[in-house]
């Protein structure tokens, strides 16, 4: 490693957190090329940030990784993977609560594309509680999220939800 494996890291990244960055950075050490796929229109929830913002946050936070590419997509995850010649889907796994959803997604994706493998990386313990939805909830109520997201994301939250004095 680095090897010639291309993996995708799909997600809505609304917004990217330091937990996502940790998984991507660790993945970039293991695989030759990582394509971070930002879902344009997530089916499960209406995003807070536009696709342009979500993509820009990721691009800035990941600029120092030569083998990481950030691209939006609006198709099936497995189609996005095929487009990039990826043979792996890399995802982070935090707690048991993630397992049921990720288990279902991995098996649906396997059914659609048996040649593409889903691989999970355990979240670092310090990020095991961290989620985009948790960050949004804290920020909405004026709490500090500065250690939980890249600087640019924290700045944008401060504009959207000014802190209480
Ligand atoms: O938890 P996230 O970040 O909202 O996950 C988004 C995504 C695309 C990774 C997840 O919904 C998934 O794995 N979907 C597989 C099914 C698929 O291809 N859907 C089309 C894109 S929403």
């Amino acid at each position: 490693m680095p090897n010639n494996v291309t993996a995708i890291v799909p997600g809505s990244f609304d917004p990217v957190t330091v937990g996502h960055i940790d998984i991507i950075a660790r993945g970039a050490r293991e695989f030759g090329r990582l394509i971070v796929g930002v879902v344009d229109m997530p089916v499960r929830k209406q995003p807070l940030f536009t696709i342009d913002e979500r993509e820009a946050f990721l691009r800035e936070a990941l600029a120092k990784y030569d083998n990481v590419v950030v691209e939006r997509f609006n198709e099936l995850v497995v189609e996005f993977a095929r487009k990039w010649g990826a043979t792996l889907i890399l995802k982070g796994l935090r707690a048991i609560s993630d397992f049921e959803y990720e288990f279902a997604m991995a098996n649906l994706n396997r059914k659609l594309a048996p040649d593409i493998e889903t691989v999970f990386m355990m979240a670092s313990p310090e990020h095991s509680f961290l989620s985009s939805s948790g960050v949004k909830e804290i920020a909405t109520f004026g709490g500090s999220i500065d250690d939980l997201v890249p600087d640019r994301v924290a700045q944008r939250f401060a504009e959207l939800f000014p802190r209480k004095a």
Side-chain angles (χ1 to χ4, degrees), residues 90-143:
L90 173 65
K91 288 197 155 185
L93 201 61
R94 287 163 303 188
I96 294 175
S97 51
D98 279 345
F99 182 81
E100 199 170 338
Y101 172 73
E102 295 298 351
F103 180 78
M105 282 300 158
N107 282 302
L108 278 174
N109 286 331
R110 183 201 300 273
K111 185 85 184 146
L112 293 170
D115 51 321
I116 298 176
E117 201 63 62
T118 302
V119 172
F120 293 99
M121 206 173 247
M122 296 308 296
S124 298
E126 64 271 30
H127 302 140
S128 58
F129 64 93
L130 181 54
S131 67
S132 298
S133 48
V135 165
K136 282 183 281 193
E137 187 163 334
I138 293 170
T140 306
F141 288 92

Side-chain angles (χ1 to χ4, degrees), residues 10-12 39 43-45 73 75-77 91 101 105 109:
S12 40
V39 182
V43 287
R44 287 191 301 158
K45 56 221 161 186
F73 72 101
E75 65 215 307
L76 285 173
V77 167
K91 288 197 155 185
Y101 172 73
M105 282 300 158
N109 286 331

